Amino acid sequence: MKKGIVIYGSQYGATEKYAKEIAGQLGFDCVSHTEIKSIDSYQIVILGGGHYAGSITGFKKTLEKINIDNTDLIVFTVGLSSKTAENIDAINTAVRNVISKEKVDDSRIFYYRGNMDFKKLSMVHRLMMKFMIGQCKKVPEANKTDDQKGIANLEKQSVDFINVNEVNELVELVKTL
Ligand SMILES: Cc1cc2nc3c(=O)[nH]c(=O)nc-3n(C[C@H](O)[C@H](O)[C@H](O)COP(=O)(O)O)c2cc1C
């Protein structure tokens, strides 16, 4: 099999968990985006990042540092949103803001669900989430989506949707490269 590396951007550990699972199953190296210097010796690059209000941790900085032109690129993102078509669309838009179709095909972009413990968030993130919680609380109960119900309750109850078994499809795809 070709030599590969998983590069992840993770602020509270969810993306890191998925990255380590993928790397472990494939026997690939695994590093945080803050540590990557060069990918010259790798033929496959798997780039993962947590989703934060329209941007994905580490993607832009990593792509400024490394040259992916001669590699097989696979992308995964991690967020709290459920996998509705609308949410997947928003997530893919965030990916497309930094990576074009020529560099990575839609079939090579994966999405996994993460977690959140409100008490462990940084001050800035807590303020951002408080705003989002307030917005969700304003929606009449009968009209709230499941995601909005979950967000409205986030201050009281942490959530954890991490399921590392989800990486199987990505791993099987990489094995065919
Ligand atoms: C300020 C803030 C904004 C977020 N925005 C989104 C979002 O737009 N979409 C989403 O699905 N999840 C969003 N999340 C949830 C994170 O993506 C989720 O907690 C994820 O597990 C973080 O991964 P990480 O721990 O690897 O950084 C947000 C979280 C915070 C704190």
Side-chain angles (χ1 to χ4, degrees):
M1 190 148 90
K2 291 178 182 171
K3 197 172 169 207
I5 185 166
V6 183
I7 305 169
Y8 62 86
S10 183
Q11 306 201 35
Y12 300 98
T15 310
E16 183 177 359
K17 261 193 195 159
Y18 285 108
K20 286 186 170 160
E21 178 67 25
I22 293 165
Q25 287 197 30
L26 291 165
F28 283 6
D29 290 333
C30 186
V31 294
S32 162
H33 77 100
T34 53
E35 288 158 29
I36 191 74
K37 288 184 180 74
S38 154
I39 53 153
D40 288 351
S41 60
Y42 299 99
Q43 296 124 307
I44 300 173
V45 171
I46 302 173
L47 194 56
H51 196 92
Y52 288 82
S55 73
I56 301 168
T57 308
F59 273 24
K60 200 161 173 277
K61 281 187 184 155
T62 305
L63 294 166
E64 281 163 7
K65 269 194 275 185
I66 62 171
N67 179 4
I68 50 163
D69 288 349
N70 300 316
T71 61
D72 270 318
L73 180 66
I74 314 285
V75 168
F76 73 93
T77 66
V78 177
L80 221 47
S81 312
S82 56
K83 292 188 178 189
T84 62
E86 195 186 341
N87 289 340
I88 298 284
D89 242 27
I91 290 152
N92 286 348
T93 303
V95 173
R96 290 290 172 222
N97 282 339
V98 276
I99 311 174
S100 67
K101 276 199 185 226
E102 291 72 51
K103 303 246 166 141
V104 69
D105 187 74
D106 283 352
S107 63
R108 292 185 176 196
I109 301 175
F110 295 82
Y111 172 68
Y112 308 126
R113 294 189 79 188
N115 61 0
M116 187 179 291
D117 184 345
F118 185 83
K119 294 188 293 300
K120 292 189 179 157
L121 295 179
S122 70
M123 191 65 91
V124 173
H125 282 165
R126 225 182 272 195
L127 286 172
M128 288 169 77
M129 284 312 299
K130 270 207 182 252
F131 176 76
M132 282 167 76
I133 290 166
Q135 295 296 102
C136 289
K137 280 185 177 166
K138 277 188 208 159
V139 179
E141 206 52 35
N143 298 347
K144 276 192 182 86
T145 62
D146 285 346
D147 280 4
Q148 286 169 333
K149 283 181 194 161
I151 292 171
N153 214 22
L154 269 175
E155 269 178 285
K156 288 187 220 127
Q157 197 174 0
S158 59
V159 288
D160 189 347
F161 301 110
I162 295 177
N163 176 7
V164 291
N165 295 327
E166 294 266 314
V167 305
N168 289 351
E169 200 186 330
L170 183 156
V171 167
E172 289 310 313
L173 168 71
V174 173
K175 283 180 184 167
T176 66
L177 298 176

